[in-house]
């Protein structure tokens, strides 16, 4: 008998806090809808799913064969078990409850629990395959006890009409304006906070009239507090993979809300997710197949929506995109704190302890290595080969800078190869580098460029600030910090700064939507904060 | 009332075939174990999960509050619904069944269905929190009817002992040798194909003796057909996140088997997955918390195991790593087909239609752009900044080559900027480039280097082959293909080829494990096949 030994490495430990969503819904044994679809969707969006199964179904893509409600006592015990563990204390992880197929007993038990988190209610009445899953009596009770004050309700149009029918005679919707009116009207009866009515059953033509051959689907979100209607327009998708689309949309919205996304963004991301799920799946089963829930979702709204119709920002040589970013209301203070950092002031005054500067040089050495690698990622994502080339050329320049650094460190008797242990990057450097590499992975060319901008342009401003301070209060004897100030206040660095601004402008020459600009502001702001932390650490040692 | 319009882009369609795993197990409402853990794990590993819930439990991290078995009739309907849709026809997607908590009725129904796919049986008897989940009578029946001939059974030691007790008096295991004997003995009674006994309950000391303070966990897999015992040794992990480890391990193994991984690799990947899940999770709930199932799993075995103890391959100047790759039994034929491709033969004979060569030039232009981008990814993953620099330098050289190409194309009246539409990459080029970019995302520096090697070294061999053919049968009038042959059979290209071989050798100067070498052989082989397809397409137009 042969014996093989394999020694498995221990992974590193990390704190990864997962927020919890509880789905209260039926189980779909075929895995495409119900709590199965919910759990798959929660996992894809990185949130933790707990369940309260209201009924077991035997079903597949062809239809529902059998339903068995969960005994009421057990259902109550399940709810209480989850709430006991995940809810009701400070920083408790349960953030959102998503409901699907309900029973009257389930609603009664939910109401009893009086759970004070956001409820996303998908009012499941009929399965995609045509089975009636909830009776009118139950629906009435649900409207009275659960939907009122709920955070969000997500009916499709037939469900919305059934709900409307509890209050008024439903009418035929023939165009977008009537659809909008219908949604606002329905909300005024349901009294939920927000209402999303899915229009997949009534495609519209280009004029906004309902048409059997219409190619445009419109889903309408009404937010009652702000009284804003958002119309999500998309191309009608002809797909056999529609089993569980409703469940999946609602659970994707619930997951995104849990992750802190706004409601409108959550809806955009989730609509795209189900579209991808339908289009990027080889059909499973004989009936309407399930979606692919395993796709990497896109959570950057600007990548999902068309520019047309959205506000577009434009820049020019006198009002560069870098100016926009650094003077943005959310960035301005951070930016000033960064470029007028006490580190620079103390350099200018020659009051920075040498050990601090020495620590800074060593940290910066690590940073430059990552900065070079980031340009590799930039090269790999460049839209044109000329831009790939430009990124590669910058790598060469950064390497020259690294070699200078190495020589400078050698002058202080630090030999990198010898002293590698002592040269370990500090917390601020590691955090900064990790953030950049993460951006390098997930962002596009422009996003990466923006993540590298605070360093390039901030140092120019910091250099100028330092020189100004020193001009006001000259240091008699030339000191070791003179070189640093000279470098970043020099003509060549100022030229690099200007060229960088124009290069970034060139990338947004056609303008960018406000929504994309906001994402880039976030990146620019975070990196500026990381620059501050980098210098803070130097002063703290 | 304000109305906002958002137009959501339509995602591209793709064929993504998901294989199906069915889990037959209990539901854990808290989401950490049972079908909930299974579904999360299946999603993480990219397989589609269907369910057959054997029982509902009300439980949380502190314990199981209540259990309710699924009515037998419904359970049978669920099994049949899934089998009707996913099983029993040509290329049916159901590949593996994973079982967790069972009831005697469930086993009877499963046996009735006579499902001929791999069964992974996690013989759940007691929950992590201490609740008895299955009675002795049921276990006996399970052994007789389900475990016999099952593909894999995955008990922990207490479960293994309980199973052993059905046949013989269990004994205390005091060292590794006794543990090995026990596993082999237990398999001889259970008659399953493969048996994995998890040793987390009896840590070993360095001498291989069971010790309360032992820091080494050993899980033993016995494969009865090959009679090979594999000992998976790992550091004992002290974690409170242990709720559902057993379910998760078994479902991870099932998912990896579904994805076509070998059993030994599936076990390695799954052990690492639960270790990461325990270590990279902020505790949830009051009791033993669940794992993090949402982590990106590592499926490259060589990255998970320690080199020590595994066979290490070494190379030298006369026996380079490139030689090893191209002469590997799995590659040899492919490699010869590639470097002696009819495309080269027809170039040498001057019988290649010009349109074909022209098509090749245009395809190669696209390829080079991706080839440059790949060096960006290489730069971003380089272990040293000197290697980042080297990769950037190569980008510069590739760009020069692209510019040459562009000039050559211009001589044929092709203007890239003008004719961009006509220059669209063909299927073979797109597939090749997509594969490379995927490798560039997921592989390390060495893996990327290997993916780029068939092009660099294959062209040298192809050039030599072409020159040899032409020397044997000279073409009277110098033709347009002379330049191509001269380039790749030239001294400078031969020098680049040799330098590339030595550079790759330098990366594996300390040797690599056979297991890593095999992964790299796969990459090298796939890329060589893509090179063949690239030239095939040229001849086919």
């Amino acid at each position: 008998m042969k014996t093989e030994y394999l020694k498995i490495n221990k992974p590193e430990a990390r704190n990864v806090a997962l927020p919890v969503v509880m789905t209260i819904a039926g189980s779909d044994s075929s895995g495409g809808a119900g709590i199965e679809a919910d759990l798959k969707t929660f996992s894809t969006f990185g949130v933790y799913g707990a369940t309260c199964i209201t009924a077991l179904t035997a079903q597949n893509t062809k239809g529902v064969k059998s339903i068995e409600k969960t005994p009421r006592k057990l259902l109550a015990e399940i709810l209480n078990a989850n709430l006991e563990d995940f809810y009701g204390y400070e920083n408790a992880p349960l953030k959102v409850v998503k409901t699907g197929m309900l029973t009257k007993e389930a609603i009664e038990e939910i109401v009893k629990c009086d759970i004070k988190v956001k409820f996303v209610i998908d009012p499941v009445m009929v399965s995609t395959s045509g089975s009636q899953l909830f009776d009118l009596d139950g629906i009435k009770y649900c409207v009275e006890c659960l939907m009122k004050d709920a955070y969000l309700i997500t009916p499709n149009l037939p469900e919305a009409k059934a709900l409307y029918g509890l209050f008024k005679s439903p009418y035929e919707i023939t165009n977008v304006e009537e659809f909008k009116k219908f949604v606002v009207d329905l909300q005024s009866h349901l009294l939920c906070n927000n209402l999303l009515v899915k229009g997949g059953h009534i495609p519209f033509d280009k004029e906004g009239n309902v048409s059997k051959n219409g190619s445009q689907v419109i889903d309408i979100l009404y937010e009652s507090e702000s009284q804003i209607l958002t119309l999500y327009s998309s191309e009608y998708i002809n797909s056999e993979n529609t089993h569980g689309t409703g469940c999946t949309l609602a659970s994707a919205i619930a997951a995104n809300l849990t992750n802190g996304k706004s409601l409108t963004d959550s809806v955009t991301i989730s609509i795209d997710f189900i579209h991808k799920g339908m289009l990027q799946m080889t059909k499973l089963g004989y009936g309407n197949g399930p979606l692919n829930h395993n796709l990497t979702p896109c959570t950057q709204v600007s990548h999902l929506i068309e520019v047309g119709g959205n506000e577009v920002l434009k820049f020019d040589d006198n009002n560069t995109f870098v100016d926009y970013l650094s003077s943005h209301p959310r960035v301005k203070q951070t930016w000033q704190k960064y470029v007028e950092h006490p580190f620079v002031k103390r350099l200018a005054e020659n009051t920075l302890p040498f050990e601090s500067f020495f620590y800074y040089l060593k940290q910066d050495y690590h940073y430059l290595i990552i900065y070079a690698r980031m340009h590799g990622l930039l090269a790999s994502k460049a839209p044109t080969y000329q831009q790939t080339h430009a990124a590669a050329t910058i790598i060469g320049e950064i390497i020259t800078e690294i070699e200078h650094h190495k020589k400078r460190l050698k002058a202080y008797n630090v030999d990198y190869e010898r002293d590698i242990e002592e040269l370990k990057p500090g917390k601020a450097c590691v955090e900064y580098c990790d953030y950049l590499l993460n951006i390098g992975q997930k962002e596009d060319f422009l996003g990466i460029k923006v993540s590298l901008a605070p360093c390039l342009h901030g140092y120019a401003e910091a250099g100028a600030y330092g020189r100004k301070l020193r001009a006001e209060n000259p240091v008699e004897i030339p000191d070791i910090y003179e070189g640093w100030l000279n470098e970043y206040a020099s003509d060549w660095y100022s030229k690099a700064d200007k060229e960088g601004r124009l290069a970034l402008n060139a990338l947004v020459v056609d303008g960018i939507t406000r929504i994309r600009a906001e994402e880039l502001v976030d990146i620019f702001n975070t990196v500026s904060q990381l620059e501050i932390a980098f210098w803070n650490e130097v002063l703290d040692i």
Side-chain angles (χ1 to χ4, degrees), chain A residues 418-438:
Chain A
R418 193 190 63 200
D419 303 329
I420 191 149
E421 264 311 307
E422 202 236 327
L423 267 174
K424 259 191 189 151
K427 191 166 166 281
C429 181
V430 168
E431 278 177 9
Y432 191 172
C433 293
D434 282 355
Y435 179 79
L436 285 185
L437 290 170
N438 184 32

Side-chain angles (χ1 to χ4, degrees), chain A residues 1-55:
Chain A
M1 194 160 302
K2 207 179 150 192
T3 302
E4 307 251 14
Y5 287 88
L6 290 175
K7 190 156 174 0
I8 298 180
N9 299 322
K10 186 179 177 181
E12 57 177 310
R14 263 185 230 155
N15 271 325
V16 184
L18 297 185
V20 175
V21 187
M22 174 163 59
T23 167
I24 308 176
S27 155
D28 167 9
S29 57
S30 76
I35 61 116
E36 282 81 357
D38 296 338
L39 288 171
K40 290 174 186 185
T41 306
F42 296 158
S43 276
T44 294
F45 284 101
V47 302
Y48 183 90
T51 62
C52 172
I53 295 178
T54 56

Side-chain angles (χ1 to χ4, degrees), chain A residues 341-343 428 529 531-541:
Chain A
H341 195 278
F343 170 83
Q529 283 164 349
E531 285 282 358
I532 294 173
F534 195 90
W535 276 342
N536 280 348
E537 196 179 80
V538 168
L539 296 186
D540 284 350
I541 66 139

Side-chain angles (χ1 to χ4, degrees), chain A residues 178-346:
Chain A
E178 285 173 14
F179 190 16
K180 284 164 64 175
K181 205 173 140 283
F182 170 81
V183 175
V184 175
D185 202 13
L186 179 56
Q187 184 279 331
S188 75
H189 296 298
L190 295 176
L191 299 174
C192 50
N193 285 301
N194 305 294
L195 176 65
L196 174 70
V197 180
K198 297 170 287 183
H201 292 77
I202 46 161
F204 293 92
D205 63 17
K206 282 183 184 160
E207 284 69 44
N209 295 313
V210 172
S211 158
K212 269 193 184 161
N213 303 318
S215 63
Q216 188 190 181
V217 171
I218 294 181
D219 305 311
I220 300 187
L221 172 70
Y222 178 56
E223 295 171 286
S224 71
E225 199 189 317
S226 60
Q227 298 200 345
I228 294 178
L229 275 166
T230 307
L231 273 62
Y232 299 86
S233 145
S234 59
E235 202 177 309
Y236 182 81
I237 290 176
N238 200 350
S239 167
E240 287 185 290
N241 304 326
T242 55
H243 181 91
T245 39
C247 303
T248 305
L249 183 77
S251 52
I253 294 171
N256 278 285
L257 290 171
T258 305
N259 281 333
K261 295 273 178 192
S262 71
L263 177 56
T264 48
D265 283 359
S266 296
V267 173
T268 307
I269 292 165
S270 303
I271 290 174
D272 172 69
F273 182 63
I274 64 162
H275 287 176
K276 280 209 188 79
M278 284 192 274
L279 288 169
Q280 303 184 353
M281 176 75 173
T282 305
K283 187 166 169 283
L284 267 186
Y286 291 101
N288 282 314
L291 318 183
N292 184 350
H293 295 93
N294 294 348
L295 299 162
T296 309
C298 176
T299 54
Q300 280 179 289
V301 169
S302 65
H303 291 179
L304 305 177
I305 58 172
E306 223 179 54
V307 175
N310 298 297
E311 190 188 351
V312 171
L313 308 176
K314 296 230 176 195
F315 310 96
D316 58 41
D317 292 6
N318 299 318
N319 164 36
T320 67
F321 187 39
V322 174
D323 293 329
Y324 171 82
L325 291 167
S326 61
S327 64
H328 189 280
R330 283 196 285 130
V331 183
K332 205 172 175 176
Q333 272 198 321
T334 305
W335 185 255
Q336 195 166 352
K337 264 194 190 169
Y338 159 38
V339 299
E340 299 184 359
H341 195 278
F343 170 83
V344 181
K345 188 158 176 273
R346 295 179 68 179

Side-chain angles (χ1 to χ4, degrees), chain A residues 312-535:
Chain A
V312 171
L313 308 176
K314 296 230 176 195
F315 310 96
D316 58 41
D317 292 6
N318 299 318
N319 164 36
T320 67
F321 187 39
V322 174
D323 293 329
Y324 171 82
L325 291 167
S326 61
S327 64
H328 189 280
R330 283 196 285 130
V331 183
K332 205 172 175 176
Q333 272 198 321
T334 305
W335 185 255
Q336 195 166 352
K337 264 194 190 169
Y338 159 38
V339 299
E340 299 184 359
H341 195 278
F343 170 83
V344 181
K345 188 158 176 273
R346 295 179 68 179
L347 274 179
E349 290 167 346
N350 196 17
T351 57
L352 184 72
F354 177 68
E355 307 83 70
S356 301
F357 188 67
F358 191 33
Y359 182 78
Y360 162 74
L361 281 186
K362 291 191 290 184
Q363 295 300 305
D364 206 41
Y365 177 77
H366 282 287
Y367 174 78
L368 282 174
I369 292 172
I370 300 301
Y371 199 68
R373 285 201 198 165
M374 284 297 288
H375 283 82
L377 289 167
L378 200 60
S380 78
K381 292 185 176 178
T384 68
Y385 73 84
Q386 289 89 347
Q387 284 164 320
T388 297
H389 195 192
T393 308
I394 296 174
I395 292 179
E397 289 163 10
I398 300 165
I399 301 296
T400 308
E401 182 62 20
I402 291 174
E403 295 288 356
H404 283 173
H405 245 61
K406 220 166 153 179
K407 269 185 212 152
R408 250 173 260 153
L409 287 170
K410 209 161 194 167
Y412 301 124
N413 201 27
V414 175
D415 182 308
Y416 184 69
E417 273 72 27
R418 193 190 63 200
D419 303 329
I420 191 149
E421 264 311 307
E422 202 236 327
L423 267 174
K424 259 191 189 151
K427 191 166 166 281
C429 181
V430 168
E431 278 177 9
Y432 191 172
C433 293
D434 282 355
Y435 179 79
L436 285 185
L437 290 170
N438 184 32
I439 289 287
Q441 283 301 322
K442 71 174 194 191
E443 269 289 344
D444 62 8
F445 190 77
L446 177 61
I448 298 176
K449 272 283 200 191
V450 167
S451 76
L452 300 173
C455 177
L456 174 62
H457 306 295
Y459 268 56
E461 294 196 26
Y465 170 69
R467 278 254 63 97
K468 196 192 89 200
L469 288 183
R470 190 161 274 204
E472 286 163 12
N473 292 296
V475 172
E476 288 289 320
I477 307 144
D479 62 305
I480 48 163
Y481 303 137
E482 184 79 15
W484 193 94
L485 291 171
N486 281 346
E487 183 152 1
Y488 296 112
S490 66
D491 286 347
W492 84 261
Y493 198 84
S494 164
K495 188 166 164 264
D497 170 45
K498 264 185 207 131
E499 281 171 2
R501 284 169 191 263
L502 298 183
L504 203 59
N505 266 14
L507 289 181
V508 294
V509 69
D510 297 327
I512 49 171
T513 57
R514 179 170 294 279
I515 207 161
R516 179 64 176 145
E518 287 297 311
E519 289 167 356
L520 296 171
V521 164
D522 280 342
I523 294 174
F524 193 87
N525 194 34
T526 303
V527 175
S528 302
Q529 283 164 349
L530 290 165
E531 285 282 358
I532 294 173
F534 195 90
W535 276 342

